[in-house]
Amino acid sequence: MVAGIYGKAYVAFSWPGRIERLSARTLRDGPHWSVPVELDYLVPVDRRSIDRRSTDWGSADGKAATVDFSANLIAPDGSIAAEGRCTAVVQPGTNTLELALQVADPLLWDAAGYGRQPLYTLLATVTGADGASARDEKRLGFRELVV
């Protein structure tokens, strides 16, 4: 029998909320590539709305907060391929934050057996005024399908 923690595990305290969903896709527009990044950020309305299994106690006062949203796309070699940042005012409940990253000449994902499959890492961070942050990451590849 196998038991244990699989993947990354950490405890992080974040105010005023937490990342619920991170979504990204790769789009080609002529010679340019873009990565629209969309993130759902939950600011609890009060302490009763927070999942009791979470260590994140969020904002119990039900007020709006200003946060910084940043996204970095890390190339397979560890260099930064693209980055974006914006400031947003979040309200109690679910807030959707969006950024569009522009990528020049990404390494393309080849079909299995026809070359390499380079994966990029998208790191998304939401930081509150007090410096506490919530973060998430996603792996993605760039590929072009011609029919």
Side-chain angles (χ1 to χ4, degrees):
M1 182 168 138
V2 178
I5 297 174
Y6 294 89
K8 297 178 182 176
Y10 60 93
V11 175
F13 294 94
S14 176
W15 186 93
R18 65 177 179 253
I19 297 172
E20 289 289 303
R21 180 186 63 89
L22 174 61
S23 174
R25 56 192 175 132
T26 58
L27 300 174
R28 183 169 189 169
D29 183 19
H32 307 286
W33 287 84
S34 66
V35 179
V37 178
E38 189 174 280
L39 178 141
D40 284 347
Y41 188 68
L42 176 68
V43 177
V45 175
D46 61 30
R47 291 184 187 270
R48 291 175 301 232
S49 69
I50 300 169
D51 182 348
R52 296 203 183 274
R53 294 169 292 171
S54 173
T55 56
D56 172 14
W57 291 103
S59 172
D61 59 8
K63 295 181 182 175
T66 300
V67 296
D68 291 321
F69 171 35
S70 65
N72 293 326
L73 189 65
I74 311 299
D77 67 0
S79 64
I80 296 178
E83 57 188 341
R85 181 176 309 273
C86 71
T87 300
V89 175
V90 293
Q91 303 290 335
T94 301
N95 299 267
T96 299
L97 307 177
E98 298 176 341
L99 280 175
L101 305 178
Q102 303 302 317
V103 184
D105 300 320
L107 299 172
L108 298 182
W109 178 282
D110 294 319
Y114 290 92
R116 58 188 182 197
Q117 289 86 34
L119 287 175
Y120 287 71
T121 302
L122 175 67
L123 298 173
T125 306
V126 179
T127 306
D130 66 350
S133 63
R135 64 183 176 148
D136 200 358
E137 67 180 61
K138 184 179 200 72
R139 302 286 306 255
L140 55 104
F142 290 84
R143 74 174 160 182
E144 183 176 34
L145 179 64
V146 179
V147 181

